[in-house]
Structure formats: structure tokens, C-alpha cells
Amino acid sequence: MAKDDTIENRVYLFESLASSYVSAASDLLSSEDEAVRARAMRALADLAFVSCVVADTGHLSPEHVRQRVLGTPEPELPEGDPDDRGGKGKKRK
């Protein structure tokens, strides 16, 4: 479970982002066109997701946070000899 301060950070981030978005997109959110309203609501859901990711990843670099938000795979580790265990344990045969 997330720490209380992380949850508070999520709330504050979402509140700030959502407030700006609602101000800018109030016509979309109140549109008579259901598809337009649905896209606007998905944008709010995306803002909630971003708020959670940012609040939960304060220990990561901005690039890693960006990758998490975009859902891209983590960068691969540098290639090395797969049998090189750094002197830790025996190799399996």
C-alpha cells in the first residue's frame, strides 16, 4: 500500500492538473456529443494516471518517469557475457 504522503501527492498533482484541464476543456466535458465527452473523460483519467506515476516515482530520473507514463519498456541493461556472474556462485552446466 502507498504511504500517506504519496497518496497526498497524488491528490495534489491530480487536483492541479485536472483543474487546469477542466478550465480549458469545460465545453468538451459538457458537450452534447457523447464521443466528445468520452474523450474528455479519458483525458481526465490519463491525468489521474500521470499524477499517480509521478507521485510514486520521485526516486527515478525524469526519463524513467517519462517511460513509465508512456508505457515504454525499461531501457535494457548493457550487454555482457551471459555466463559472467561477476564472481557470484557457480555456473550451471
Side-chain angles (χ1 to χ4, degrees):
M1 182 153 165
K3 290 191 223 174
D4 288 340
D5 61 336
T6 300
I7 293 169
E8 286 178 25
N9 289 340
R10 288 177 171 188
V11 170
Y12 291 132
L13 284 168
F14 178 69
E15 181 181 40
S16 178
L17 292 171
S19 176
S20 295
Y21 178 74
V22 168
S23 293
S26 60
D27 57 329
L28 299 176
L29 290 163
S30 62
S31 173
E32 302 233 353
D33 185 338
E34 188 176 333
V36 170
R37 280 194 321 274
R39 280 193 303 275
M41 292 300 291
R42 280 193 302 275
L44 277 173
D46 288 342
L47 290 174
F49 174 77
V50 167
S51 298
C52 291
V53 171
V54 170
D56 294 350
T57 56
H59 62 287
L60 296 178
S61 71
E63 181 59 31
H64 281 102
V65 174
R66 179 181 182 276
Q67 290 170 347
R68 291 236 178 132
V69 169
L70 294 175
T72 56
E74 294 289 322
E76 293 185 24
L77 297 174
E79 288 190 33
D81 181 359
D83 290 334
D84 180 16
R85 300 189 60 170
K88 296 178 180 152
K90 297 180 181 179
K91 293 181 192 175
R92 283 196 162 149
K93 294 183 180 180

